Amino acid sequence: MTQQGAVLQGYNNELVKCIEDLCMQKEELNKQIQQAEEEKNKLQHEIQVLSEQLEYVCENLAQKVASRNELDKILAETEAAYMKILDSSRTLLNVLKKEVGSLKHSPDLKMN
């Protein structure tokens, strides 16, 4: 019976060692899980911050594009009006030159 008790004690010792090893593996896995959860939370926070920054940049960009479009419209209208002024000035100058030319040939007007 003593021999059976020794064998049983050996089995018991091995079983206790296996259980201890499993507990250590569980603790290590728990640490890894906790680290992974912390990393996940950190990344989710960064995603939230970046999403908010992206939203701000997109809104700012949309406002700037709208402002640029408005400036393009104003510039086009201003350039068109300026071209009309230039055309009117050219027409006025041509009319004035003709009038002055007519006056030079007029017998009633002598130019010095």
Side-chain angles (χ1 to χ4, degrees):
M1 200 49 121
T2 310
Q3 187 178 10
Q4 290 173 339
V7 170
L8 186 59
Q9 183 64 36
Y11 291 155
N12 188 46
N13 288 342
E14 271 191 68
L15 184 60
V16 168
K17 173 82 170 109
C18 285
I19 291 172
E20 287 174 352
D21 287 345
L22 287 174
C23 285
M24 288 181 8
Q25 287 179 2
K26 179 183 173 189
E27 286 178 31
E28 180 60 32
L29 192 56
N30 279 338
K31 287 179 186 177
Q32 292 174 1
I33 289 170
Q34 183 179 0
Q35 288 173 344
E37 287 176 346
E38 288 172 0
E39 181 69 14
K40 179 186 122 191
N41 291 337
K42 177 184 167 192
L43 291 172
Q44 285 178 329
H45 176 71
E46 289 176 8
I47 288 170
Q48 180 182 356
V49 168
L50 289 173
S51 293
E52 290 171 3
Q53 289 176 348
L54 178 61
E55 183 179 345
Y56 171 78
V57 168
C58 287
E59 288 173 2
N60 191 310
L61 178 62
Q63 290 173 351
K64 288 181 180 185
V65 167
S67 294
R68 183 190 62 192
N69 291 342
E70 185 64 25
L71 285 174
D72 285 344
K73 179 183 170 188
I74 291 169
L75 279 170
E77 290 171 355
T78 302
E79 287 174 352
Y82 183 69
M83 293 307 291
K84 286 181 181 179
I85 290 170
L86 287 177
D87 190 46
S88 295
S89 295
R90 185 179 61 236
T91 302
L92 178 61
L93 181 60
N94 289 336
V95 167
L96 185 59
K97 284 180 180 179
K98 285 181 185 178
E99 292 294 324
V100 169
S102 298
L103 288 175
K104 284 183 181 178
H105 292 79
S106 171
D108 295 336
L109 184 64
K110 288 189 175 180
M111 299 286 264
N112 291 344

